[in-house]
Amino acid sequence: MKSIEVTYDVAKWNSETGRWEDGEAGARLDFLDDYIVGELQATLSAKAKQRYKPTSWHTLLDFLSKLEELRGRSFSPGSIKTIEVISEGAPTLYCGR
């Protein structure tokens, strides 16, 4: 089991200025199976070259979208920047685009 830290872009509506403000956000997901983490990293590394996106990727996008909705922000599915694997007692593995 592993933990990952995902960073991505978000936007928040500013009612004072009447504009969307861009920013960066992150979420930590714990207790993921090793093969799911591998799928997520491979999908991010492949970028647009990979047509097939595993179910775990779509599940991650859906989760982040709902999380940011609860936070009052907008998440763009194409905005994931990094997926860092956080292993206890082991070096951190990094995957970014």
Side-chain angles (χ1 to χ4, degrees):
M1 298 298 235
K2 293 184 179 175
S3 299
I4 62 172
E5 178 90 36
V6 182
T7 58
Y8 48 91
D9 291 328
V10 293
K12 184 170 179 82
W13 180 254
N14 184 332
S15 58
E16 292 178 12
T17 63
R19 297 179 146 190
W20 286 96
E21 295 179 355
D22 295 330
E24 187 175 293
R28 181 178 172 142
L29 289 83
D30 295 318
F31 307 111
L32 296 175
D33 289 330
D34 292 350
Y35 76 91
I36 291 174
V37 172
E39 278 186 346
L40 294 174
Q41 287 186 308
T43 303
L44 182 61
S45 296
K47 296 187 240 172
K49 293 184 282 187
Q50 184 177 350
R51 289 191 166 168
Y52 166 73
K53 304 268 193 254
T55 303
S56 58
W57 183 258
H58 294 290
T59 302
L60 175 64
L61 297 180
D62 188 47
F63 171 79
L64 294 175
S65 179
K66 289 179 175 149
L67 175 65
E68 290 306 323
E69 185 178 336
L70 290 172
R71 292 176 171 173
R73 301 185 289 206
S74 175
F75 164 74
S76 173
S79 71
I80 293 180
K81 295 179 177 182
T82 63
I83 297 176
E84 288 186 59
V85 179
I86 304 162
S87 301
E88 298 300 322
T92 301
L93 302 172
Y94 173 82
C95 180
R97 37 173 209 162

Coordinates of all heavy atoms in Angstrom, one line a residue:
M1 N 0.8 -1.2 0.0 CA 0.0 0.0 0.0 C 0.9 1.2 0.0 O 1.9 1.3 0.7 CB -0.9 0.0 1.2 CG -1.8 -1.1 1.3 SD -2.9 -1.1 0.0 CE -4.5 -1.2 0.8
K2 N 0.4 2.2 -0.8 CA 1.2 3.4 -0.9 C 0.3 4.6 -0.8 O -0.9 4.5 -0.8 CB 1.9 3.5 -2.3 CG 3.0 2.5 -2.4 CD 3.7 2.6 -3.7 CE 4.8 1.6 -3.8 NZ 5.5 1.6 -5.1
S3 N 0.9 5.8 -0.6 CA 0.2 7.1 -0.6 C 0.8 7.9 -1.8 O 1.9 7.7 -2.1 CB 0.5 7.8 0.7 OG 0.0 7.1 1.8
I4 N -0.1 8.7 -2.3 CA 0.3 9.6 -3.4 C -0.1 11.0 -3.1 O -1.1 11.2 -2.4 CB -0.2 9.2 -4.8 CG1 -1.7 9.2 -4.8 CG2 0.4 7.8 -5.2 CD1 -2.3 9.0 -6.3
E5 N 0.7 12.0 -3.6 CA 0.3 13.4 -3.5 C 0.2 13.8 -5.0 O 1.1 13.7 -5.8 CB 1.4 14.2 -2.8 CG 1.2 15.7 -2.8 CD 0.4 16.1 -1.5 OE1 0.7 15.5 -0.5 OE2 -0.4 17.0 -1.6
V6 N -1.0 14.3 -5.3 CA -1.3 14.8 -6.7 C -1.4 16.3 -6.7 O -2.1 16.9 -5.8 CB -2.7 14.2 -7.1 CG1 -2.9 14.6 -8.6 CG2 -2.7 12.7 -7.0
T7 N -0.7 17.0 -7.6 CA -0.9 18.4 -7.7 C -1.5 18.7 -9.1 O -1.3 18.0 -10.1 CB 0.5 19.1 -7.6 OG1 1.4 18.6 -8.6 CG2 1.1 18.9 -6.3
Y8 N -2.3 19.8 -9.1 CA -3.1 20.1 -10.3 C -3.5 21.6 -10.2 O -3.4 22.2 -9.1 CB -4.3 19.2 -10.4 CG -5.1 19.0 -9.1 CD1 -6.1 19.9 -8.8 CD2 -4.7 18.1 -8.2 CE1 -6.8 19.8 -7.6 CE2 -5.4 18.0 -7.0 CZ -6.5 18.8 -6.7 OH -7.2 18.7 -5.5
D9 N -4.0 22.1 -11.3 CA -4.5 23.4 -11.4 C -6.0 23.5 -11.0 O -6.8 22.6 -11.3 CB -4.4 24.0 -12.8 CG -2.9 24.2 -13.1 OD1 -2.1 24.5 -12.2 OD2 -2.6 24.1 -14.3
V10 N -6.4 24.6 -10.4 CA -7.8 24.9 -10.0 C -8.1 26.3 -10.3 O -7.2 27.1 -10.6 CB -8.1 24.6 -8.5 CG1 -8.0 23.1 -8.2 CG2 -7.2 25.5 -7.6
A11 N -9.4 26.6 -10.3 CA -9.8 28.0 -10.5 C -10.9 28.3 -9.5 O -11.7 27.4 -9.1 CB -10.3 28.2 -11.9
K12 N -10.9 29.5 -8.9 CA -11.9 29.8 -7.9 C -12.6 31.2 -8.4 O -11.9 32.1 -8.8 CB -11.3 30.0 -6.6 CG -12.3 30.3 -5.5 CD -11.6 30.2 -4.1 CE -12.6 30.5 -3.0 NZ -13.5 29.4 -2.6
W13 N -13.9 31.2 -8.3 CA -14.6 32.4 -8.6 C -14.4 33.5 -7.5 O -14.6 33.2 -6.4 CB -16.1 32.1 -8.8 CG -16.9 33.3 -9.2 CD1 -17.7 34.0 -8.4 CD2 -16.9 33.9 -10.5 NE1 -18.3 35.1 -9.2 CE2 -17.7 35.0 -10.4 CE3 -16.2 33.7 -11.7 CZ2 -18.0 35.9 -11.5 CZ3 -16.4 34.5 -12.8 CH2 -17.3 35.6 -12.7
N14 N -14.0 34.7 -8.0 CA -13.9 35.8 -7.1 C -15.0 36.7 -7.3 O -15.1 37.4 -8.4 CB -12.5 36.5 -7.3 CG -12.3 37.6 -6.3 OD1 -13.2 38.2 -5.8 ND2 -11.0 37.9 -6.0
S15 N -16.0 36.8 -6.4 CA -17.2 37.6 -6.6 C -16.9 39.1 -6.6 O -17.6 39.9 -7.1 CB -18.2 37.3 -5.6 OG -17.8 37.4 -4.3
E16 N -15.8 39.5 -5.9 CA -15.4 40.9 -5.9 C -15.0 41.4 -7.2 O -15.3 42.5 -7.6 CB -14.3 41.2 -4.8 CG -14.8 40.9 -3.4 CD -13.7 41.1 -2.4 OE1 -12.6 41.7 -2.8 OE2 -13.9 40.8 -1.2
T17 N -14.2 40.7 -7.9 CA -13.6 41.1 -9.2 C -14.5 40.6 -10.4 O -14.3 41.1 -11.5 CB -12.2 40.6 -9.4 OG1 -12.2 39.2 -9.4 CG2 -11.3 41.1 -8.3
G18 N -15.3 39.6 -10.1 CA -16.1 39.0 -11.2 C -15.3 38.2 -12.1 O -15.7 38.1 -13.3
R19 N -14.3 37.6 -11.6 CA -13.4 36.8 -12.5 C -13.0 35.5 -11.8 O -13.0 35.4 -10.6 CB -12.1 37.5 -12.8 CG -12.3 38.8 -13.5 CD -10.9 39.5 -13.7 NE -10.9 40.1 -15.0 CZ -9.9 40.7 -15.6 NH1 -8.7 40.6 -15.0 NH2 -10.0 41.3 -16.7
W20 N -12.5 34.5 -12.6 CA -12.0 33.3 -12.1 C -10.5 33.6 -11.8 O -9.8 34.2 -12.6 CB -12.1 32.2 -13.1 CG -13.5 31.6 -13.3 CD1 -14.4 32.0 -14.2 CD2 -14.1 30.6 -12.5 NE1 -15.5 31.3 -14.0 CE2 -15.4 30.4 -13.0 CE3 -13.7 29.9 -11.4 CZ2 -16.3 29.5 -12.4 CZ3 -14.6 29.0 -10.8 CH2 -15.9 28.8 -11.4
E21 N -10.0 33.1 -10.7 CA -8.6 33.2 -10.3 C -8.0 31.8 -10.3 O -8.5 30.9 -9.7 CB -8.5 33.8 -8.9 CG -9.0 35.2 -8.8 CD -8.9 35.8 -7.4 OE1 -8.5 35.1 -6.5 OE2 -9.2 37.0 -7.3
D22 N -6.9 31.7 -11.1 CA -6.2 30.4 -11.2 C -5.3 30.2 -10.0 O -4.7 31.1 -9.4 CB -5.4 30.4 -12.5 CG -6.3 30.5 -13.7 OD1 -7.4 30.0 -13.7 OD2 -5.8 31.0 -14.7
G23 N -5.1 28.9 -9.7 CA -4.2 28.5 -8.6 C -3.8 27.1 -8.8 O -4.2 26.4 -9.7
E24 N -3.0 26.6 -7.8 CA -2.6 25.2 -7.8 C -3.1 24.6 -6.5 O -3.2 25.3 -5.5 CB -1.1 25.2 -7.8 CG -0.6 23.8 -8.0 CD 0.9 23.7 -8.2 OE1 1.4 24.2 -9.2 OE2 1.6 23.2 -7.3
A25 N -3.5 23.4 -6.6 CA -4.0 22.6 -5.4 C -3.3 21.3 -5.4 O -2.7 20.8 -6.3 CB -5.5 22.5 -5.5
G26 N -3.5 20.6 -4.3 CA -3.0 19.2 -4.1 C -3.9 18.4 -3.2 O -4.7 18.9 -2.5
A27 N -3.8 17.1 -3.4 CA -4.5 16.2 -2.6 C -3.7 15.0 -2.3 O -2.9 14.5 -3.2 CB -5.8 15.8 -3.3
R28 N -3.8 14.5 -1.1 CA -3.1 13.2 -0.7 C -4.1 12.1 -0.6 O -5.1 12.2 0.0 CB -2.3 13.4 0.6 CG -1.6 12.2 1.0 CD -0.8 12.4 2.3 NE -0.2 11.1 2.7 CZ 0.9 11.0 3.3 NH1 1.7 12.0 3.5 NH2 1.4 9.8 3.6
L29 N -3.7 11.0 -1.3 CA -4.6 9.8 -1.2 C -3.7 8.7 -0.6 O -2.6 8.4 -1.0 CB -5.0 9.4 -2.6 CG -6.0 10.3 -3.3 CD1 -5.4 11.4 -3.9 CD2 -6.8 9.5 -4.3
D30 N -4.3 8.1 0.4 CA -3.6 7.0 1.2 C -4.2 5.6 0.9 O -5.3 5.5 0.4 CB -3.7 7.3 2.7 CG -3.0 8.5 3.1 OD1 -1.8 8.8 2.6 OD2 -3.5 9.3 3.9
F31 N -3.4 4.6 1.2 CA -3.8 3.2 1.1 C -4.2 2.8 -0.3 O -5.2 2.1 -0.5 CB -5.0 2.9 2.1 CG -4.8 3.4 3.5 CD1 -5.4 4.4 4.0 CD2 -3.8 2.7 4.2 CE1 -5.2 4.8 5.3 CE2 -3.5 3.1 5.5 CZ -4.2 4.2 6.1
L32 N -3.4 3.1 -1.3 CA -3.6 2.7 -2.7 C -2.7 1.5 -2.9 O -1.6 1.4 -2.5 CB -3.2 3.8 -3.6 CG -4.0 5.1 -3.6 CD1 -3.5 6.1 -4.5 CD2 -5.5 4.8 -3.9
D33 N -3.3 0.5 -3.7 CA -2.5 -0.6 -4.1 C -1.4 -0.2 -5.1 O -1.5 0.7 -5.8 CB -3.4 -1.7 -4.8 CG -4.4 -2.3 -3.8 OD1 -4.0 -2.5 -2.7 OD2 -5.5 -2.7 -4.3
D34 N -0.3 -1.0 -5.0 CA 0.9 -0.7 -5.9 C 0.5 -0.6 -7.4 O 1.0 0.2 -8.1 CB 2.0 -1.7 -5.6 CG 2.6 -1.6 -4.2 OD1 2.3 -0.6 -3.5 OD2 3.3 -2.5 -3.9
Y35 N -0.3 -1.5 -7.8 CA -0.6 -1.6 -9.3 C -1.4 -0.3 -9.7 O -1.3 0.2 -10.8 CB -1.3 -2.9 -9.7 CG -2.8 -2.9 -9.3 CD1 -3.8 -2.5 -10.2 CD2 -3.2 -3.4 -8.1 CE1 -5.1 -2.6 -9.9 CE2 -4.5 -3.5 -7.7 CZ -5.5 -3.1 -8.6 OH -6.8 -3.1 -8.3
I36 N -2.3 0.2 -8.8 CA -3.1 1.4 -9.1 C -2.1 2.6 -9.2 O -2.2 3.4 -10.2 CB -4.2 1.6 -8.1 CG1 -5.2 0.6 -8.2 CG2 -4.8 3.0 -8.2 CD1 -6.3 0.6 -7.1
V37 N -1.2 2.7 -8.3 CA -0.2 3.8 -8.4 C 0.6 3.7 -9.7 O 0.8 4.7 -10.3 CB 0.7 3.7 -7.1 CG1 1.9 4.7 -7.3 CG2 -0.1 4.0 -5.9
G38 N 1.0 2.5 -10.0 CA 1.8 2.3 -11.3 C 0.9 2.7 -12.5 O 1.5 3.4 -13.4
E39 N -0.3 2.4 -12.5 CA -1.2 2.8 -13.6 C -1.3 4.3 -13.7 O -1.3 4.9 -14.8 CB -2.6 2.2 -13.5 CG -2.8 0.8 -13.9 CD -4.3 0.4 -13.8 OE1 -5.1 1.0 -13.1 OE2 -4.6 -0.7 -14.3
L40 N -1.5 4.9 -12.6 CA -1.7 6.4 -12.6 C -0.4 7.1 -13.1 O -0.5 8.0 -13.9 CB -2.0 6.9 -11.2 CG -3.4 6.4 -10.6 CD1 -3.5 6.9 -9.2 CD2 -4.5 7.0 -11.5
Q41 N 0.7 6.6 -12.6 CA 2.0 7.2 -13.1 C 2.2 7.0 -14.5 O 2.7 7.9 -15.3 CB 3.2 6.7 -12.3 CG 3.2 7.2 -10.8 CD 4.4 6.7 -10.1 OE1 4.7 5.6 -10.1 NE2 5.2 7.7 -9.5
A42 N 2.0 5.8 -15.0 CA 2.2 5.5 -16.4 C 1.2 6.3 -17.3 O 1.6 6.8 -18.4 CB 1.9 4.0 -16.7
T43 N 0.0 6.5 -16.9 CA -0.9 7.3 -17.6 C -0.5 8.8 -17.7 O -0.5 9.4 -18.8 CB -2.3 7.2 -17.0 OG1 -2.7 5.9 -16.9 CG2 -3.4 8.0 -17.8
L44 N 0.0 9.3 -16.6 CA 0.5 10.7 -16.6 C 1.7 10.8 -17.5 O 1.8 11.8 -18.2 CB 0.8 11.2 -15.2 CG 1.2 12.6 -15.0 CD1 0.2 13.6 -15.5 CD2 1.6 12.9 -13.6
S45 N 2.6 9.9 -17.4 CA 3.8 9.9 -18.2 C 3.6 9.8 -19.7 O 4.2 10.4 -20.5 CB 4.8 8.8 -17.8 OG 5.2 9.0 -16.5
A46 N 2.5 9.0 -20.1 CA 2.2 8.8 -21.5 C 1.6 10.0 -22.1 O 1.6 10.2 -23.4 CB 1.3 7.6 -21.7
K47 N 1.0 10.9 -21.4 CA 0.3 12.1 -21.8 C -0.7 11.7 -22.9 O -1.4 10.8 -22.8 CB 1.3 13.2 -22.3 CG 2.2 13.7 -21.3 CD 3.0 14.8 -21.8 CE 4.4 14.5 -21.7 NZ 5.3 15.4 -22.4
A48 N -0.7 12.5 -24.0 CA -1.7 12.3 -25.0 C -1.4 11.1 -25.9 O -2.3 10.7 -26.7 CB -1.8 13.6 -25.9
K49 N -0.2 10.6 -25.9 CA 0.2 9.5 -26.7 C -0.7 8.2 -26.4 O -0.9 7.4 -27.3 CB 1.6 9.1 -26.6 CG 2.6 10.2 -27.1 CD 4.0 9.8 -27.0 CE 4.4 9.9 -25.5 NZ 5.9 9.7 -25.3
Q50 N -1.1 8.1 -25.2 CA -1.9 6.9 -24.8 C -3.4 7.1 -25.0 O -3.9 8.0 -24.4 CB -1.5 6.6 -23.3 CG -2.2 5.4 -22.8 CD -1.7 5.1 -21.4 OE1 -0.8 5.8 -20.8 NE2 -2.4 4.2 -20.7
R51 N -4.0 6.3 -25.8 CA -5.4 6.5 -26.0 C -6.2 5.8 -24.9 O -7.2 6.3 -24.4 CB -5.8 5.8 -27.3 CG -5.3 6.6 -28.5 CD -6.0 6.2 -29.7 NE -5.7 7.2 -30.7 CZ -6.0 7.0 -32.0 NH1 -6.4 5.8 -32.4 NH2 -5.7 7.9 -32.9
Y52 N -5.7 4.7 -24.4 CA -6.4 3.9 -23.4 C -6.1 4.6 -22.0 O -5.0 4.7 -21.7 CB -6.0 2.5 -23.4 CG -6.4 1.7 -22.1 CD1 -7.8 1.4 -21.9 CD2 -5.5 1.4 -21.1 CE1 -8.1 0.7 -20.7 CE2 -5.9 0.8 -20.0 CZ -7.2 0.4 -19.8 OH -7.6 -0.2 -18.6
K53 N -7.1 4.9 -21.3 CA -6.9 5.4 -19.9 C -7.6 4.4 -19.0 O -8.8 4.1 -19.1 CB -7.6 6.8 -19.8 CG -7.2 7.8 -20.7 CD -6.0 8.6 -20.2 CE -5.7 9.8 -21.0 NZ -4.6 9.8 -21.8
P54 N -6.8 3.9 -18.0 CA -7.4 2.9 -17.1 C -8.5 3.4 -16.2 O -8.6 4.7 -16.0 CB -6.2 2.4 -16.3 CG -5.2 3.5 -16.4 CD -5.4 4.2 -17.7
T55 N -9.3 2.6 -15.7 CA -10.4 3.0 -14.8 C -9.8 3.8 -13.6 O -10.5 4.7 -13.2 CB -11.1 1.7 -14.3 OG1 -11.6 1.0 -15.5 CG2 -12.3 2.1 -13.4
S56 N -8.7 3.4 -13.1 CA -8.1 4.1 -12.0 C -7.9 5.6 -12.3 O -8.1 6.5 -11.5 CB -6.8 3.5 -11.5 OG -5.9 3.4 -12.6
W57 N -7.5 5.9 -13.6 CA -7.3 7.3 -14.0 C -8.6 8.1 -13.9 O -8.7 9.2 -13.4 CB -6.7 7.4 -15.4 CG -6.4 8.7 -15.8 CD1 -7.1 9.5 -16.7 CD2 -5.3 9.6 -15.4 NE1 -6.5 10.7 -16.8 CE2 -5.4 10.8 -16.0 CE3 -4.2 9.4 -14.5 CZ2 -4.4 11.8 -15.8 CZ3 -3.3 10.4 -14.3 CH2 -3.4 11.6 -15.0
H58 N -9.7 7.5 -14.5 CA -11.0 8.1 -14.5 C -11.5 8.3 -13.1 O -12.2 9.3 -12.8 CB -12.0 7.3 -15.4 CG -11.6 7.3 -16.8 ND1 -11.7 8.5 -17.6 CD2 -11.1 6.4 -17.6 CE1 -11.3 8.2 -18.8 NE2 -10.9 6.9 -18.9
T59 N -11.3 7.3 -12.3 CA -11.7 7.4 -10.9 C -11.0 8.5 -10.2 O -11.6 9.3 -9.4 CB -11.4 6.0 -10.1 OG1 -12.1 5.0 -10.8 CG2 -11.9 6.1 -8.7
L60 N -9.7 8.7 -10.4 CA -8.9 9.8 -9.8 C -9.5 11.1 -10.3 O -9.7 12.0 -9.5 CB -7.4 9.7 -10.2 CG -6.6 10.8 -9.7 CD1 -6.5 10.9 -8.2 CD2 -5.2 10.7 -10.3
L61 N -9.8 11.3 -11.6 CA -10.3 12.5 -12.1 C -11.7 12.8 -11.5 O -11.9 14.0 -11.1 CB -10.4 12.5 -13.6 CG -9.1 12.3 -14.4 CD1 -9.4 12.3 -15.9 CD2 -8.2 13.4 -14.1
D62 N -12.5 11.8 -11.3 CA -13.8 12.0 -10.7 C -13.7 12.4 -9.3 O -14.4 13.3 -8.8 CB -14.6 10.7 -10.9 CG -16.1 10.9 -10.5 OD1 -16.7 11.9 -10.9 OD2 -16.6 10.1 -9.7
F63 N -12.8 11.8 -8.5 CA -12.6 12.1 -7.1 C -12.1 13.6 -7.0 O -12.6 14.3 -6.1 CB -11.5 11.1 -6.5 CG -11.1 11.6 -5.1 CD1 -11.9 11.3 -4.0 CD2 -9.9 12.2 -5.0 CE1 -11.5 11.7 -2.8 CE2 -9.5 12.6 -3.7 CZ -10.3 12.4 -2.6
L64 N -11.1 14.0 -7.8 CA -10.6 15.3 -7.7 C -11.6 16.4 -8.0 O -11.7 17.4 -7.4 CB -9.3 15.5 -8.5 CG -8.1 14.6 -8.1 CD1 -7.0 14.8 -9.1 CD2 -7.6 15.0 -6.7
S65 N -12.4 16.1 -9.0 CA -13.5 17.0 -9.4 C -14.5 17.2 -8.3 O -14.8 18.3 -8.0 CB -14.2 16.4 -10.7 OG -15.2 17.3 -11.1
K66 N -14.9 16.1 -7.7 CA -15.8 16.2 -6.6 C -15.2 16.9 -5.3 O -15.9 17.7 -4.6 CB -16.4 14.9 -6.2 CG -17.3 14.4 -7.3 CD -17.9 13.0 -7.0 CE -18.9 12.7 -8.1 NZ -19.0 11.4 -8.5
L67 N -13.9 16.6 -5.1 CA -13.2 17.2 -3.9 C -13.1 18.7 -4.1 O -13.5 19.5 -3.2 CB -11.8 16.6 -3.8 CG -10.9 17.2 -2.8 CD1 -11.5 17.0 -1.4 CD2 -9.5 16.7 -2.9
E68 N -12.8 19.2 -5.3 CA -12.7 20.6 -5.5 C -14.0 21.3 -5.6 O -14.1 22.4 -5.2 CB -11.9 20.9 -6.8 CG -10.4 20.5 -6.7 CD -9.7 21.2 -5.5 OE1 -10.0 22.4 -5.2 OE2 -8.9 20.5 -4.9
E69 N -15.0 20.6 -6.0 CA -16.4 21.1 -5.9 C -16.8 21.4 -4.5 O -17.3 22.4 -4.1 CB -17.4 20.2 -6.5 CG -18.8 20.7 -6.6 CD -19.8 19.7 -7.3 OE1 -19.3 18.9 -8.1 OE2 -21.0 19.9 -7.0
L70 N -16.4 20.5 -3.6 CA -16.7 20.7 -2.1 C -15.9 21.9 -1.6 O -16.3 22.6 -0.7 CB -16.3 19.4 -1.3 CG -17.3 18.2 -1.5 CD1 -16.7 17.0 -0.8 CD2 -18.7 18.6 -1.0
R71 N -14.7 22.1 -2.1 CA -13.8 23.2 -1.7 C -14.2 24.5 -2.4 O -13.6 25.5 -2.1 CB -12.4 22.9 -2.1 CG -11.8 21.8 -1.3 CD -10.3 21.5 -1.8 NE -9.6 20.5 -0.9 CZ -8.5 20.0 -1.2 NH1 -7.8 20.3 -2.3 NH2 -7.9 19.2 -0.4
G72 N -15.2 24.5 -3.3 CA -15.7 25.7 -3.9 C -14.8 26.1 -5.1 O -14.8 27.3 -5.4
R73 N -14.1 25.2 -5.7 CA -13.2 25.5 -6.8 C -13.5 24.6 -8.0 O -14.2 23.6 -7.9 CB -11.8 25.3 -6.4 CG -11.4 26.1 -5.2 CD -9.9 26.1 -4.8 NE -9.6 24.8 -4.2 CZ -8.6 24.6 -3.4 NH1 -7.8 25.6 -3.1 NH2 -8.3 23.4 -3.0
S74 N -13.0 25.0 -9.1 CA -13.2 24.2 -10.4 C -11.9 23.5 -10.7 O -10.8 24.1 -10.7 CB -13.5 25.2 -11.5 OG -13.6 24.5 -12.7
F75 N -12.0 22.2 -11.1 CA -10.9 21.4 -11.4 C -11.0 21.0 -12.9 O -12.1 20.7 -13.4 CB -10.9 20.1 -10.6 CG -10.1 19.0 -11.1 CD1 -8.7 19.0 -11.0 CD2 -10.6 17.9 -11.8 CE1 -7.9 18.0 -11.5 CE2 -9.9 16.8 -12.2 CZ -8.5 16.9 -12.1
S76 N -9.9 21.1 -13.6 CA -9.8 20.8 -15.0 C -9.1 19.4 -15.1 O -8.0 19.3 -14.7 CB -9.0 21.8 -15.8 OG -8.9 21.4 -17.1
P77 N -9.8 18.4 -15.7 CA -9.2 17.1 -15.8 C -7.8 17.0 -16.5 O -7.0 16.1 -16.2 CB -10.2 16.3 -16.6 CG -11.5 17.0 -16.4 CD -11.1 18.4 -16.3
G78 N -7.5 17.9 -17.4 CA -6.2 17.9 -18.0 C -5.1 18.6 -17.3 O -4.0 18.8 -17.8
S79 N -5.4 19.0 -16.1 CA -4.4 19.9 -15.4 C -3.5 19.2 -14.4 O -2.8 19.9 -13.7 CB -5.2 21.0 -14.6 OG -5.9 20.5 -13.5
I80 N -3.6 17.9 -14.3 CA -2.8 17.2 -13.3 C -1.3 17.4 -13.7 O -0.9 17.1 -14.8 CB -3.1 15.7 -13.2 CG1 -4.5 15.5 -12.6 CG2 -2.1 15.0 -12.4 CD1 -5.0 14.1 -12.5
K81 N -0.5 17.9 -12.7 CA 0.9 18.2 -13.0 C 1.8 17.1 -12.5 O 2.7 16.7 -13.2 CB 1.3 19.5 -12.3 CG 0.6 20.7 -12.8 CD 1.0 21.9 -12.1 CE 0.4 23.2 -12.7 NZ 0.8 24.4 -12.0
T82 N 1.6 16.6 -11.3 CA 2.5 15.6 -10.7 C 1.7 14.6 -9.9 O 0.7 14.9 -9.4 CB 3.6 16.3 -9.8 OG1 2.9 16.8 -8.7 CG2 4.4 17.3 -10.5
I83 N 2.3 13.4 -9.8 CA 1.9 12.4 -8.9 C 3.1 11.9 -8.2 O 4.0 11.3 -8.8 CB 1.2 11.2 -9.6 CG1 0.0 11.7 -10.4 CG2 0.9 10.1 -8.6 CD1 -0.7 10.6 -11.2
E84 N 3.2 12.2 -6.9 CA 4.4 11.8 -6.1 C 4.0 10.6 -5.2 O 2.9 10.7 -4.6 CB 4.8 12.9 -5.2 CG 5.5 14.1 -5.9 CD 6.0 15.1 -4.9 OE1 6.9 14.7 -4.0 OE2 5.6 16.2 -5.0
V85 N 4.8 9.6 -5.3 CA 4.5 8.4 -4.4 C 5.3 8.6 -3.1 O 6.5 8.9 -3.1 CB 5.0 7.1 -5.1 CG1 4.8 5.9 -4.3 CG2 4.3 7.0 -6.5
I86 N 4.5 8.5 -2.1 CA 5.1 8.7 -0.7 C 5.1 7.3 0.0 O 4.0 6.8 0.3 CB 4.2 9.7 0.1 CG1 4.1 11.0 -0.7 CG2 4.8 9.9 1.5 CD1 3.0 11.9 -0.2
S87 N 6.3 6.7 0.1 CA 6.4 5.4 0.7 C 7.1 5.6 2.1 O 8.1 6.4 2.2 CB 7.3 4.5 -0.1 OG 6.7 4.3 -1.4
E88 N 6.6 5.0 3.1 CA 7.2 5.1 4.4 C 8.6 4.5 4.4 O 8.7 3.3 4.0 CB 6.3 4.4 5.4 CG 4.9 5.0 5.6 CD 4.9 6.5 6.0 OE1 5.8 6.8 6.8 OE2 4.1 7.2 5.5
G89 N 9.6 5.3 4.8 CA 10.9 4.8 4.9 C 11.7 4.6 3.6 O 12.7 4.0 3.5
A90 N 11.0 5.0 2.5 CA 11.7 4.8 1.2 C 11.7 6.2 0.5 O 11.0 7.1 0.8 CB 10.9 3.8 0.3
P91 N 12.6 6.4 -0.5 CA 12.6 7.6 -1.2 C 11.4 7.9 -1.9 O 10.7 7.0 -2.4 CB 13.8 7.5 -2.1 CG 14.1 6.0 -2.2 CD 13.6 5.4 -0.9
T92 N 11.0 9.2 -2.1 CA 9.8 9.5 -2.9 C 10.1 9.4 -4.4 O 11.1 9.8 -4.9 CB 9.5 11.0 -2.5 OG1 9.3 11.1 -1.1 CG2 8.2 11.4 -3.3
L93 N 9.1 8.8 -5.0 CA 9.2 8.6 -6.5 C 8.3 9.7 -7.1 O 7.2 10.0 -6.6 CB 8.6 7.3 -6.9 CG 9.4 6.1 -6.3 CD1 8.6 4.8 -6.7 CD2 10.8 6.0 -6.9
Y94 N 8.8 10.4 -8.1 CA 8.1 11.5 -8.7 C 7.8 11.2 -10.2 O 8.6 10.7 -10.9 CB 9.0 12.7 -8.6 CG 8.5 13.9 -9.3 CD1 7.6 14.8 -8.7 CD2 9.0 14.3 -10.6 CE1 7.2 15.9 -9.3 CE2 8.6 15.4 -11.2 CZ 7.7 16.2 -10.6 OH 7.2 17.3 -11.2
C95 N 6.6 11.6 -10.5 CA 6.2 11.5 -12.0 C 5.5 12.8 -12.3 O 4.5 13.2 -11.7 CB 5.3 10.3 -12.1 SG 4.7 10.1 -13.8
G96 N 5.9 13.5 -13.3 CA 5.3 14.7 -13.7 C 5.3 14.9 -15.2 O 6.0 14.1 -15.9
R97 N 4.5 15.8 -15.7 CA 4.5 16.0 -17.1 C 5.3 17.2 -17.5 O 5.7 18.0 -16.8 CB 3.1 16.1 -17.7 CG 2.1 16.8 -17.0 CD 0.8 16.9 -17.7 NE 0.2 18.1 -17.2 CZ -0.7 18.8 -17.8 NH1 -1.1 18.4 -18.9 NH2 -1.2 19.8 -17.2

